[in-house]
Amino acid sequence: MSKKERKRAMVVMKFGGTSVRDVDAVRRVVEIVGREKRPRVVVVSALAGVTDGLLDIAGQVESGEGTAAQDAVRGLRRRHEEMAPLVRDPEQKAALLAEFDDRFDELEAIVHALAVVEEVSPRSRDTIVSFGELTSSRIVAAALEDAGIPSRAVDPRTVLVTNGEHGSAQPDLEATDARLLEKVKPLLDQDIVPVLGGFVGASTAGLTTTLGRGGSDYSAALFGAGLGAEEIQIWTDVDGMLTADPRMVPGTRVVPHLSFDEAAELAYFGAKVLHPSTILPAVRRDIPVRILNSHRPEAPGTRITRSPAPGVAGPTAIACKRGQTRLDIASTRMLEAYGFLRRVFEVFERYRTSIDVVTTSEVSVSVTIDDRRALDAIVADLSEFSEVSSEDGMAIVCAVGDGLRRDPSLATRMLGALEGLPLVMVSQGGSRQNITAVVRDGDTASAMERLHRRFFETGDSTPASA
Ligand code: ADP
Ligand code: ASP
Ligand code: MG
């Protein structure tokens, strides 16, 4: 890398909702951003709980509770106004408060209009929910400026270009990369810190879209990839990727290093600390991702890179995904199994429903799905050539790790740890990066605790050092 290129190396720093929850939290963000000497782009979530609040408002409008919805908008207005002490300069403070006024007046008007028809389309829901990130990014930019760090809020709708799938929009990488160069890069070149709300974008038709819950991580990774970042930092409220969800399992510990594959798998199977799509853009440009704790910035966190951690035996972490539905599909033409699987999978493809776990025998197949929206139609189509039964209330528990490849006894040990719990399905992938069991939802906590005890509290697995 030439000297000039080294000078331009930049980082993306993403702060989640709890990292911007109140005045003290944003002050910590300002300190962390101030300490980073490389050019940086800051990506922020809505203040903690605000996205939930906005979705509740949409729900209230739909169920005819217009007055309650307006009360809730007033509550959010006050919550944001409480952030004003972050700005000491009276003129800047007045400008920020005036902007809040405009924004929340607009939200009130939208809620009022929708309350008349008692209907919120996916498009309107995205407009409502985008207020969280649009406002938080403005607050963080103002707080940085106040601390003497030149900064500017950039509307993510002018940068993140997506398709029109409201609520779970897909990014247009090429268009977004071009916008990053046009709207964000010039600020970096002038030593100004651009601050963008995550999660929010706009379709090519200019309509506000969102990437799906937890999508700010994905925005950060998309921006990092587009700008050729040296590192994508995900600042959150835990010390990194932990060996299991700390809300379910006691005694978890930090995993210092993960490969992209491991991180993607853990995020997909429920490790909420990373949005499942976060790793894709990082892989595209081979950019390391770090998970860091904004409450303990000195902690080393988790580093995620292409290469697997050397010499780790056993799983790296465990995760679970609840609320799954299992379908058992048996061929009605027992001896003509040829082509059966193709027909089965075609049905799921037709309804754009992805399958998580599959187990098969010659004439039957069991699958799990978590998107039930098309379940009736799927069952009807499958019934044309098979006998189908479905059951809700399932959970996937899985052990993930590159080290699983090196450890042939792992499946046995995993099943041993789960002994006595009814296992609905068991699957070990060809790449052997994860071993998955499907259990009844009520058994999830017990399954996770047993697995954690077996693999992380008995010296059975040692995460590599960073
Ligand atoms: P943010 O608001 O910063 O995006 P999230 O709430 O989306 O934060 O993600 C952080 C939370 O993810 C943690 O507080 C933790 O409860 C949960 N979590 C679930 N599984 C894991 C895991 N394996 N490692 C770390 N955190 C996890
Ligand atoms: N604010 C959005 C959410 O709560 C996006 C994010 O925080 O990542 O889902
Ligand atoms: Mg998150």
Side-chain angles (χ1 to χ4, degrees):
M1 195 188 279
S2 74
K3 211 168 169 187
K4 197 165 161 218
E5 277 171 328
R6 213 167 20 240
K7 194 169 157 272
R8 276 193 272 117
M10 51 79 62
V11 291
V12 171
M13 310 176 81
K14 178 262 169 176
F15 296 90
T18 49
S19 299
V20 292
R21 74 159 50 238
D22 52 24
V23 167
D24 287 343
V26 175
R27 289 207 172 112
R28 278 194 293 273
V29 168
V30 169
E31 244 186 82
I32 292 167
V33 174
R35 232 176 289 148
E36 175 61 67
K37 292 304 168 224
R38 291 168 287 187
R40 57 267 195 236
V41 168
V42 170
V43 177
V44 292
S45 292
L47 313 189
V50 166
T51 304
D52 287 337
L54 289 162
L55 286 169
D56 286 349
I57 287 169
Q60 285 165 333
V61 167
E62 272 179 322
S63 49
E65 301 165 66
T67 316
Q70 292 295 7
D71 284 348
V73 174
R74 276 190 287 280
L76 287 181
R77 187 193 286 259
R78 277 195 301 278
R79 168 100 192 269
H80 286 83
E81 283 168 355
E82 280 165 16
M83 305 299 277
L86 284 162
V87 180
R88 289 161 301 178
D89 179 84
E91 236 172 76
Q92 294 302 323
K93 186 184 288 194
L96 184 69
L97 286 169
E99 225 181 288
F100 287 169
D101 260 343
D102 289 349
R103 223 180 260 294
F104 284 101
D105 284 353
E106 190 189 335
L107 182 57
E108 254 178 55
I110 292 171
V111 166
H112 181 76
L114 294 172
V116 175
V117 287
E118 291 184 13
E119 202 177 295
V120 182
S121 63
R123 173 176 159 181
S124 304
R125 191 181 311 271
D126 268 355
T127 302
I128 292 175
V129 89
S130 72
F131 276 78
E133 270 73 9
L134 295 178
T135 320
S136 65
S137 51
R138 183 64 183 86
I139 293 170
V140 170
L144 287 169
E145 278 273 323
D146 185 82
I149 303 168
S151 173
R152 184 142 341 132
V154 177
D155 188 328
R157 294 170 299 185
T158 65
V159 177
L160 179 58
V161 184
T162 72
N163 67 5
E165 218 174 298
H166 290 284
S168 53
Q170 303 295 322
D172 177 332
L173 300 183
E174 223 170 283
T176 302
D177 286 358
R179 297 282 186 87
L180 283 163
L181 293 184
E182 184 195 335
K183 308 271 179 198
V184 178
K185 174 91 173 28
L187 295 174
L188 287 173
D189 291 342
Q190 296 166 66
D191 284 329
I192 296 172
V193 177
V195 182
L196 292 98
F199 175 59
V200 176
S203 64
T204 28
L207 299 174
T208 302
T209 53
T210 59
L211 297 177
R213 295 306 307 266
S216 292
D217 300 333
Y218 191 19
S219 298
L222 289 164
F223 299 159
L227 292 163
E230 204 171 45
E231 185 173 282
I232 297 159
Q233 302 176 349
I234 306 292
W235 291 87
T236 183
D237 62 348
V238 285
D239 276 354
M241 180 68 78
L242 304 169
T243 44
D245 186 338
R247 295 164 302 183
M248 288 197 86
V249 177
T252 55
R253 56 179 200 258
V254 181
V255 182
H257 180 260
L258 285 170
S259 68
F260 284 144
D261 289 343
E262 289 174 320
E265 204 107 324
L266 284 167
Y268 186 76
F269 284 111
K272 185 185 172 231
V273 70
L274 272 191
H275 181 276
S277 301
T278 315
I279 295 303
L280 294 171
V283 170
R284 178 160 72 99
R285 295 275 159 87
D286 197 10
I287 303 170
V289 176
R290 287 174 71 195
I291 307 175
L292 295 152
N293 189 346
S294 69
H295 303 262
R296 285 183 1 105
E298 67 289 352
T302 297
R303 196 175 150 78
I304 306 168
T305 61
R306 180 180 297 281
S307 49
V312 187
T316 307
I318 57 173
C320 64
K321 211 169 155 186
R322 307 180 73 157
Q324 307 297 302
T325 297
R326 177 189 52 140
L327 285 101
D328 286 329
I329 307 147
S331 168
T332 41
R333 288 189 279 162
M334 297 291 276
L335 296 173
E336 284 180 69
Y338 181 77
F340 174 61
L341 285 181
R342 179 182 49 77
R343 294 184 75 185
V344 168
F345 290 128
E346 266 170 7
V347 172
F348 289 91
E349 193 181 342
R350 196 172 308 143
Y351 293 101
R352 304 184 64 196
T353 298
S354 58
I355 292 170
D356 286 334
V357 184
V358 187
T359 57
T360 62
S361 73
E362 198 183 351
V363 290
S364 77
V365 51
S366 300
V367 304
T368 66
I369 58 172
D370 72 357
D371 179 355
R372 265 182 294 274
R373 282 176 300 181
L375 184 61
D376 290 345
I378 289 172
V379 169
D381 283 17
L382 289 170
S383 299
E384 286 172 16
F385 60 93
S386 56
E387 272 166 21
V388 192
S389 64
S390 77
E391 195 177 359
D392 296 343
M394 299 286 144
I396 298 170
V397 293
C398 70
V400 171
D402 293 323
L404 304 194
R405 289 197 189 94
R406 289 189 286 271
D407 188 348
S409 71
L410 205 104
T412 321
R413 285 188 287 140
M414 173 152 168
L415 297 183
L418 297 176
E419 198 185 333
L421 286 183
L423 300 183
V424 181
M425 290 161 71
V426 176
S427 152
Q428 180 174 19
S431 71
R432 297 185 56 205
Q433 218 157 44
N434 83 46
I435 302 177
T436 307
V438 177
V439 298
R440 296 194 190 288
D441 198 70
D443 291 331
T444 318
S446 165
M448 289 291 282
E449 275 179 39
R450 285 160 175 236
L451 290 177
H452 199 266
R453 220 175 302 131
R454 181 74 174 93
F455 290 123
F456 302 104
E457 292 163 42
T458 59
D460 227 348
S461 165
T462 325
S465 52

